Amino acid sequence: AITYLTSILKAGKAEAIVYYKLGNCHFFLEKYSEAAADYKKATELETKEKQFFNSLGLAYIKTREFRLSIKAFEEVIKLDPEFWDAHYHICINHLELNEYQTAVQMAMDIIDKNPNYAKAYLVMSQSYKKMGNLADADKSRQTAIKLDPSLK
């Protein structure tokens, strides 16, 4: 697939979807830097496709470029304010950056808008745990599991 997609690009047909699919191939092969570069090119060619920005954000998480990841997920949210996984991944980035209070506040903002979004409680639990607030960590985790038992 990579050879085929690269040949399309070499033929001068640089379309966003081709870069996006090439990024998917690289991501699947755990070549996250290459995937990020492909997704970045896709977002430059097509600025209104939320999935391109979402994939870029995920690739940046894998390359530990958390600030870039946040920017990519912010673009997703501009295109679709109710793309809850993008909100969640911003929280995850703040957690990775040791910005626990920011992660908690953002999780609370998600819960205000979508109280049944279990992953918000989960990231809140992880943040509380990192801050040493084990009571709130456990309470948030229990709420997450109650909403989505697969998070056990």
Side-chain angles (χ1 to χ4, degrees):
I2 291 174
T3 303
Y4 173 71
L5 293 168
T6 303
S7 71
I8 292 172
L9 295 174
K10 286 181 181 174
K13 299 178 182 175
E15 294 182 27
I17 192 68
V18 177
Y19 281 104
Y20 174 71
K21 289 181 181 221
L22 188 58
N24 288 344
C25 292
H26 284 129
F27 196 95
F28 178 77
L29 295 172
E30 299 179 4
K31 294 181 177 183
Y32 302 117
S33 293
E34 290 94 333
D38 297 330
Y39 293 140
K40 178 77 172 141
K41 189 66 176 168
T43 64
E44 291 167 356
L45 294 170
E46 175 52 67
T47 61
K48 301 290 184 206
E49 181 54 59
K50 65 185 175 187
Q51 191 56 49
F52 294 178
F53 286 102
N54 188 66
S55 295
L56 178 60
L58 294 172
Y60 281 144
I61 287 174
K62 292 293 192 176
T63 61
R64 304 194 58 77
E65 297 174 86
F66 302 118
R67 297 277 179 221
L68 292 174
S69 180
I70 289 169
K71 287 181 182 182
F73 288 119
E74 286 172 344
E75 289 299 318
V76 174
I77 293 167
K78 283 181 193 172
L79 295 167
D80 182 356
E82 294 185 356
F83 197 115
W84 301 115
D85 279 353
H87 292 271
Y88 164 75
H89 282 105
I90 290 175
C91 292
I92 291 294
N93 280 293
H94 285 294
L95 184 64
E96 290 290 340
L97 290 164
N98 301 323
E99 297 170 352
Y100 308 125
Q101 194 57 50
T102 302
V104 167
Q105 186 56 55
M106 292 193 75
M108 287 179 175
D109 291 345
I110 295 169
I111 292 164
D112 284 344
K113 296 171 189 160
N114 185 359
N116 293 320
Y117 187 72
K119 289 180 184 177
Y121 293 96
L122 187 62
V123 76
M124 199 160 51
S125 172
Q126 294 165 328
S127 298
Y128 280 138
K129 185 176 180 182
K130 293 282 189 178
M131 291 189 291
N133 183 343
L134 300 182
D136 283 340
D138 186 57
K139 181 179 173 186
S140 297
R141 184 174 178 278
Q142 292 305 319
T143 303
I145 293 168
K146 181 179 176 186
L147 291 170
D148 183 352
S150 73
L151 295 176
K152 256 186 180 178

